[in-house]
Amino acid sequence: MTITRYAPAGAVAAASHLAAEAGLRMLQRGGNAADAAIAAAAAMAVVAPHMCGLGGDLFALVAGGPAGRPAGWAAGTATPAALNASGRAGSGADPDRLRAEGARAMPFTGDVRSVTLPGCVDGLTALHERFGTLSLPALLAPARRLADEGFPVSPTLAAASAELGPAERDLAFGAPEPLVAGRRLRVRGVGEALRAVAAHGRAGFYEGPVGAGILAAGAGEFTPADLRTPQADWVEPLALPVFGRTLWTAPPNSQGYLALASAWIAGQAGIPAGPEDERWAFLLAEAARQAAFDRQAVLHEHADGRELTGAARLRPRAAALAERASRGLADVYGDGGTTAVCAVDGERRGVSLIMSNAADFGSRLVLPGHGIFLHNRGMGFSLEPGHPAGYRPGARPPHTLAPVAVTDQAGTLDTVLGTMGGDAQPQVLLQLLVRTLVHGQDPGEAIAAPRWVLSREPTTAFDTWDLDAPPLVRLEHDAPAAWSRGLRARGFEAVASPPGDQSFGHAQLIRVTRDDMLAGAADPRTGDGAFAGW
């Protein structure tokens, strides 16, 4: 059982205790939740290159607090601000060449065409420009110190490093051998990149030595003009009233709409009284399937998020779920490198920030001299001619990152949460929302509870919706036996996973309690996560 921690003034939850402590120090220096999230995210980019990094992407929501409202909104409103810092394909993107080579899908790893321009640094600097109160050098200082002086290798990083080749490890970590948990690791090239950002902002990264490395790695995929173009945009968030509150997320190209839609569908169909009910896993898994039945066709950067979460679209899915809860499934349906940081400050401004390499270590292409892995978010593009999510210059791919915030009916911050998990992110978020908002579980209980995820066999964590046949349901090793019975009785294939399976996400969650305390927890599945408050 993970213990719920409480704090009166401010808190940070992250998948590394070092990152959580970096964020907490900013709160203690008078910074706000955005400052804390930036410091924690920068530290994560150093200590968790298998999850995220400066060569990856970033999404964030800022909700609540007096500065949690976009400029121009009327006093008393509480609309969160949503940041999309997902990179675009370079000017050299050429789908015809890939198709001529015989490709039917985008490369997964080892090919720069799966790399879009990294949005992480643009996201951090954009978040700082709009909401930060402390200086950028101060916010990046803890991460720079960890990079220069070294940090203990986490168990998950050690295990993931064994999957890299000796040459990749040598470029990234300075030695060809797999990393050892607990040993000191220095990544001075990442520290140099952070120093450049601290001194010169985004230009220090995209137009400096790192940018030159990206151009060299791209071999024509990117241009200097691409790197000068900011990859971060403030966008209108999606909102949906569910469970007596309002759920918020980033709009497409994020898949966050699935978390909101599945929660609405489940609420309309009728959630069982508790997670021990044999119908519980089935109903939520089927709600997730109903929400995502056409994800491959409709998720792209220009999709209308309001339409995707509209009652007219979701009401038939909820009705189908209610029917199938008693009759079973119908036949017709039209491991990832990600981490979440959550922070809340004394003014009850909350940030849910998600950053990612996509797959573990992303594309596995490493920038020499810096040890920065380039992500592989371009794998989300389609090579189908005419597809709205097609691979083409300047386009953003469909994205799994899905930050979520919850406000009450008065618009006051209730919860910020986020998770890793590839296609499973909305499914993990759905389970956490139901456990906390419907069943009243505290954050520690909800975070540590067993989970289910929709999956394939074998799986890459990004292929759940690739086939027409229903996916199987993967159950965590300590899931109630009733879940398997209930799923099988209603037509699902259920598979028990062994202990240590990382398919079930690493989630972080912070709630504001009724007496204005902050209650939160970091996922025990990381082996190194922490909730830090004061």
Side-chain angles (χ1 to χ4, degrees), residues 29 68 98 104 175 182 204 257 274 281 309 317 330 354 369 384 410 465 490 499 502 510:
R29 293 177 185 176
L98 269 172
R104 300 180 63 184
Y257 80 95
T309 55
R317 317 311 302 183
I354 317 290
E384 177 185 337
W465 312 111
R490 292 165 177 82
Q502 296 297 301
I510 301 175

Side-chain angles (χ1 to χ4, degrees), residues 276-279 281-282 475 480-492 494:
E276 299 76 18
D277 191 302
E278 72 161 19
R279 297 168 298 159
F282 164 79
L475 302 177
W483 288 7
S484 180
R485 292 196 303 270
L487 287 160
R488 292 177 186 276
R490 292 165 177 82
F492 269 113

Side-chain angles (χ1 to χ4, degrees), residues 12-22 40 43-44 47-48 51 146 151-152 154 339-341 508 522-523 526-532:
V12 183
S16 163
H17 70 279
L18 297 170
E21 290 163 3
M44 287 300 302
V47 304
M51 297 180 181
L146 289 168
F151 58 90
S154 70
T339 195
V341 170
Q508 327 299 333
D523 205 311
T526 68
D528 195 41
F531 170 93

Side-chain angles (χ1 to χ4, degrees), residues 429-450:
L429 295 169
L430 169 63
Q431 293 168 77
L432 293 175
L433 290 167
V434 170
R435 286 183 177 276
T436 54
L437 302 183
V438 178
H439 301 314
Q441 293 184 353
D442 64 43
E445 182 181 7
I447 287 282

Side-chain angles (χ1 to χ4, degrees), residues 402-425:
V404 170
V406 182
T407 58
D408 66 16
Q409 293 179 337
T412 304
L413 181 70
D414 181 297
T415 306
V416 286
L417 68 160
T419 186
M420 64 162 280
D423 287 343
Q425 285 185 42

Side-chain angles (χ1 to χ4, degrees), residues 516-527:
D516 199 35
M517 294 290 283
L518 300 178
D523 205 311
R525 295 164 183 83
T526 68

